[in-house]
Amino acid sequence: IDPATGAIVDANEPALEFYGWSLAQLRTMHITDINQLSQAEVQEEMRNARTGKRRYFRFRHRTARGDVRHVEVHSGPIDTEQGQLLLSIIHDVTERDALEAQLRASQQLEAVGRLAGGVAHEFNNLLTVLLNGSAIALRKIEPDSPVRRYLEDMSFAARRAADLTRDLLAFS
């Protein structure tokens, strides 16, 4: 790449295959035709590569098919017969980035599952106390006691909560 103009000067066969343009087509293009950054941002990054301030970059590049690919770029100045150019080595990391995003999502789901399991376990301990206490109280209370209805409601609610807790444990 010509660092002064951003013109693409040359490309190897793997670059032609990756981007999908012929060498003749690429030689009529500028890096801003490929890189998704603004022209000012591209100029700044070329300046960073040319001065050695930065040599490693992550960009999004457009291909001839219109795909946008995530790329890692290692770039630096080289002296040629045409003057100083930027040599860039480009690695397509689109699939890796997608897999890393999937891994992060699965790790987040795993954390939610662990949290749900821990909460469900603790909640189940509390429900055991309520269920056992209400069962003992129901055995000791007279069948016609006005409090019996409240104990039966409490026992029913605790059993429903225990069912929900089992569902939460199954989810986790």
Side-chain angles (χ1 to χ4, degrees):
I1 299 170
D2 182 337
T5 65
I8 298 171
V9 176
D10 204 359
N12 63 11
E13 192 61 38
L16 301 178
E17 289 174 26
F18 174 71
Y19 287 107
W21 284 292
S22 70
L23 183 58
Q25 289 171 311
L26 278 174
R27 284 181 172 162
T28 66
M29 298 170 68
H30 289 79
I31 192 61
T32 53
D33 296 326
I34 294 173
N35 196 310
Q36 298 294 289
L37 294 177
S38 71
Q39 188 164 358
E41 290 169 318
V42 169
Q43 288 296 326
E44 178 63 25
E45 297 298 20
M46 284 194 307
R47 208 171 6 265
N48 288 335
R50 188 176 60 242
T51 62
K53 188 175 181 181
R54 279 185 55 201
R55 301 235 184 232
Y56 169 79
F57 306 88
R58 285 188 56 99
F59 297 125
R60 292 174 0 139
H61 281 186
R62 182 179 63 84
T63 67
R65 294 171 298 286
D67 305 0
V68 175
R69 307 295 292 178
H70 296 221
V71 295
E72 290 179 342
V73 178
H74 299 269
S75 190
I78 58 166
D79 292 321
T80 70
E81 296 169 356
Q82 300 160 312
Q84 192 177 72
L85 299 175
L86 287 177
L87 173 67
S88 295
I89 300 169
I90 297 161
H91 299 276
D92 182 8
V93 294
T94 306
E95 281 79 22
R96 185 183 78 191
D97 286 356
L99 288 172
E100 286 174 356
Q102 287 176 353
L103 176 62
R104 279 191 301 279
S106 71
Q107 287 171 333
Q108 289 170 341
L109 279 176
E110 180 184 358
V112 167
R114 264 189 267 124
L115 177 63
V119 168
H121 179 73
E122 290 300 320
F123 194 63
N124 203 38
N125 290 343
L126 298 171
L127 289 172
T128 300
V129 172
L130 291 173
L131 286 167
N132 289 337
S134 64
I136 291 168
L138 282 168
R139 279 196 305 267
K140 292 190 181 262
I141 198 162
E142 296 297 322
D144 59 345
S145 170
V147 176
R148 184 171 195 80
R149 189 185 75 196
Y150 298 115
L151 288 170
E152 288 172 345
D153 288 346
M154 184 174 77
S155 181
F156 176 78
R159 282 193 306 275
R160 272 294 293 130
D163 291 342
L164 291 172
T165 302
R166 275 190 290 283
D167 291 346
L168 190 56
L169 281 169
F171 167 78
S172 72

